[in-house]
Every structure is written in structure tokens, then in C-alpha cells.
Amino acid sequence: MLSQLGFFVNIAFSFIAWWIVTARYIWPQLRLRQRAEALQPLLILHSFRFIGLAFLVPGVVSPDLPSSFAHSAAYGDIIAAILALLWLLLLPRRAGVLIAWIFNLWGSADLLRAFYEGNAGGLLAGQLGAAYFTPTFVVPLLLITHGLIFRILLQ
């Protein structure tokens, strides 16, 4: 029980820390740029979502990690990474805006679904193994940047 509490505290503090970094350093730089230029660094960040494939690697995660969670998290992330890369290619074109919306809706929903599925399925922090840092460090940053992307797209 204590490890689960620590897991959630890690996630909460990561959200707080990334929000401060975003508010003080990232958003002030992006808000002054044109849309395509502001979106580029965020897309590059999301192109690294292939790291979700770590959920499928034996030895990185516990054999007790539910395979349904591992597969949906891994494949959801790789699809998001592919969409981010496709978006980078199409960003200056008209199709780039459509791909931006598809990517951002998919990517946000994928992360929120993983949080919900992990919580509803009783996922234990220890089952994540070395991939523990994905939901506790990386996912909060990704969710915050999804919010920035929505903000930029709606301007």
C-alpha cells in the first residue's frame, strides 16, 4: 500500500514540477512564435513516445504486468509517435493542421486511457519495473504539452 501511495505522490509531484517548468520556461518561449514554429519542439518531444514499447520488453517490466495494459500502452504510444513524426513532415502544409488535431486527440486520449486502465485494473507500481519512470516522469510532461498543443491549435 505504501508503494502505491509513493507511486501516486511521484506522479503528483511530477505534474507540479513540469507545470512550473512549462509556465516559467516553455510557454513564454512558445507563445511568441507562429503556430507551426511553436508546435515543432512539442512534436519533436512526442516523437520519442516509442519508449512506451518498453512495456513489452521482458526484464524491463515485471512478468506480472497485465499484458492487456502493456500492449495497449505500447501500441498507443507508437501510434502517437508515428503521428507526431507525420505531423512534423506535414506541419507547414494545410494537412498538418488536420494531423495535428488527430495526433493531439489520439495522444491525449491514449495517455488518459492508460492512467484509467492502470488504476481500474489494480496496476501495482512494482509491475512496471524499470518502466516505472514512464508514468511518473514522462507522462505528466506529455499531458501538459498536449494541453499546450491544444492551446496553440485553438489560437
Side-chain angles (χ1 to χ4, degrees), residues 27 74 82 84 100 129 146:
W27 179 243
I82 291 167
H146 273 297

Side-chain angles (χ1 to χ4, degrees), residues 77-111:
D77 276 352
I78 196 67
I79 290 169
I82 291 167
L83 287 170
L85 290 169
L86 180 61
W87 187 17
L88 272 169
L89 292 172
L90 298 174
L91 191 58
R93 297 178 188 89
R94 175 168 260 151
V97 175
L98 175 62
I99 297 296
W101 280 101
I102 293 169
F103 159 77
N104 216 36
L105 291 168
W106 173 271
S108 300
D110 174 58
L111 294 173

Side-chain angles (χ1 to χ4, degrees), residues 37-59:
E37 188 184 345
L39 292 171
Q40 235 173 0
L42 301 173
L43 291 171
I44 292 168
L45 171 69
H46 282 271
S47 70
F48 283 90
R49 285 186 61 174
F50 61 83
I51 64 170
L53 291 173
F55 290 122
L56 301 177
V57 180

Side-chain angles (χ1 to χ4, degrees), residues 54-78:
F55 290 122
L56 301 177
V57 180
V60 172
V61 296
S62 168
D64 298 332
L65 182 68
S67 65
S68 61
F69 173 84
H71 284 89
S72 63
Y75 294 124
D77 276 352
I78 196 67

